[in-house]
Amino acid sequence: MPAARSARATRDRDLLDARWMAHCLELAARGGRTSPNPRVGCVVVSARGEVLAEGWHRGPGTAHGEADALAAIGGRARGATMYVNLEPCDHHGRTPPCAPAVIAAGVRRVVIGAMDPIRGHGGGGRRIARAGIAVTRGVLAPACEELNRGFFTWARHGRPWFTLKAAMTLDGRIATAAGESRWITGPQARAAGHALRAAHDAVLVGVGTVLADDPRLTVRASGGRGAAGGGDPVRIVVDSRLRTPPDAAVVTGRTARVIVAGLVGAPLARRRRLERAGASILALPAGPRGVELAALGRALAADGITSVLVEGGGEVHAGFLIAGLADEVVLHVAPRVLGGRRGGPSWVGGDEVARLADAHRLVIQAVGFAGPDLVLTLRRAESGG
């Protein structure tokens, strides 16, 4: 029957659209760190189902995914279908807008994953439709937003996406009572931790971690450096009174910028010493637990940072949870128990919650293993910015 054939044709087209959009996401992921721009992949497919061109965005100032793909075929794609995981922009920034180039290419149809959330940048889909080109929106939209979750958080809420990460024992300890923490988890979990660093624009710790462990906060796992594009992430130290030593490894390592976030009114002499050592200083207002983390988020967003891996310690993790800024939590849990009435520090510090109803609520998203260690990925139970 014609109706049955029509339904079957629609289903087949939807399946094909999903297949090509999934490939766009694979291409987009090749771009690595593109912040503050989103990661965008593009596939141009002929009416016969043949791939004419592929492209992806490699970073600010380089061609967007659509332009990259069209350049491979001389800008002409008469009668083809273009797949792109984010709406073609209609904004002239460092590069020309994509929507006019898509129209000029002569494509018959454009399939879009997610719409651009930035006012003044979006609208490319409408412009393309007004030119008489068929536009399909929302194909694999959740997956498309997930790939660019940092960009969408940055665009919608004016702050980065924050991922809290900790390596701990079964009883939640990140160190022994004597302060020993190397190594709670095994080499596979440590490699996974470096992969997380590589996937974020920045990695953040508190000054207590700097004073206790003197970390470098670099990406050292095999294949890690540059795997997300741009080498090591920006290093951030939350340090109200600017106690970070100028000769700390996080400051003297020159593979990436280091930002020390202190309070307005922190000792000027300490600020000058850190600046001479190469650190950038953020002077921020005070919150209930030191630096106001919401203000820190706004300052980092203004700097083009869209994703931050928070590696604690426990007081810093507690601060992000209390402020409602913990978008994701990744826990590497070793099959070890330290025990003791006066054990080592927990991965979450702060004041103890008196009522279960007031507990921080998370939802488990994924459970896996890194060698012998359990890996839990969780998200906030309630949405919010």
Side-chain angles (χ1 to χ4, degrees), residues 74-99:
R76 309 303 299 167
R78 186 70 57 189
T81 297
M82 173 179 283
Y83 294 88
V84 60
N85 60 290
L86 186 70
E87 178 185 19
C89 66
D90 199 19
H91 166 75
H92 201 300
R94 296 189 190 183
T95 58
C98 292

Side-chain angles (χ1 to χ4, degrees), residues 44-338:
V44 181
V45 181
S46 74
R48 298 175 59 183
E50 301 166 331
V51 175
L52 300 178
E54 300 176 340
W56 62 91
H57 182 49
R58 292 163 174 81
T62 68
H64 292 185
E66 305 94 315
D68 189 47
L70 290 174
I73 49 177
R76 309 303 299 167
R78 186 70 57 189
T81 297
M82 173 179 283
Y83 294 88
V84 60
N85 60 290
L86 186 70
E87 178 185 19
C89 66
D90 199 19
H91 166 75
H92 201 300
R94 296 189 190 183
T95 58
C98 292
V102 172
I103 295 168
V107 298
R108 175 181 59 86
R109 180 171 172 248
V110 176
V111 180
I112 299 169
M115 305 307 291
D116 195 322
I118 299 181
R119 187 182 300 274
H121 286 205
R126 291 192 301 274
R127 180 169 181 171
I128 291 167
R130 287 197 300 267
I133 298 169
V135 176
T136 300
R137 301 173 175 86
V139 175
L140 299 189
C144 292
E145 290 206 18
E146 177 68 16
L147 179 76
N148 280 308
R149 57 191 179 274
F151 169 76
F152 278 90
T153 302
W154 177 78
R156 290 171 175 160
H157 305 303
R159 65 167 179 85
W161 171 278
F162 290 107
T163 300
L164 275 56
K165 179 261 178 182
M168 65 184 194
T169 62
L170 279 173
D171 47 344
R173 308 289 175 77
I174 58 174
T176 67
E180 183 183 357
S181 61
R182 297 183 179 179
W183 298 103
I184 287 176
T185 53
Q188 297 95 331
R190 294 198 294 275
H194 283 286
L196 270 176
R197 286 183 182 178
H200 287 74
D201 294 341
V203 57
L204 179 151
V205 297
V207 64
T209 297
V210 171
L211 296 175
D213 299 335
D214 196 24
R216 289 182 286 168
L217 303 183
T218 54
V219 178
R220 297 189 299 278
S222 177
R225 276 186 57 82
D232 286 322
V234 174
R235 282 82 56 84
I236 303 167
V237 181
V238 178
D239 180 3
S240 299
R241 302 298 297 168
L242 303 184
R243 294 185 294 141
T244 300
D247 61 351
V250 71
V251 177
T252 58
R254 299 302 176 90
T255 60
R257 288 193 300 141
V258 59
I259 298 171
V260 180
L263 292 175
V264 173
L268 183 59
R270 294 179 183 177
R271 174 175 182 145
R272 287 174 174 168
R273 283 196 295 269
L274 285 169
E275 287 177 332
R276 285 196 296 270
S280 298
I281 308 299
L282 286 179
L284 299 170
R289 304 177 59 83
V291 169
E292 183 186 299
L293 295 179
L296 172 61
R298 291 190 295 270
L300 296 178
D303 197 21
I305 293 172
T306 68
S307 62
V308 178
L309 181 66
V310 181
E311 296 194 13
E315 295 303 315
V316 171
H317 284 156
F320 276 91
L321 285 165
I322 292 168
L325 295 174
D327 297 296
E328 183 171 73
V329 177
V330 179
L331 301 176
H332 294 168
V333 186
R336 303 185 185 191
V337 176
L338 292 177

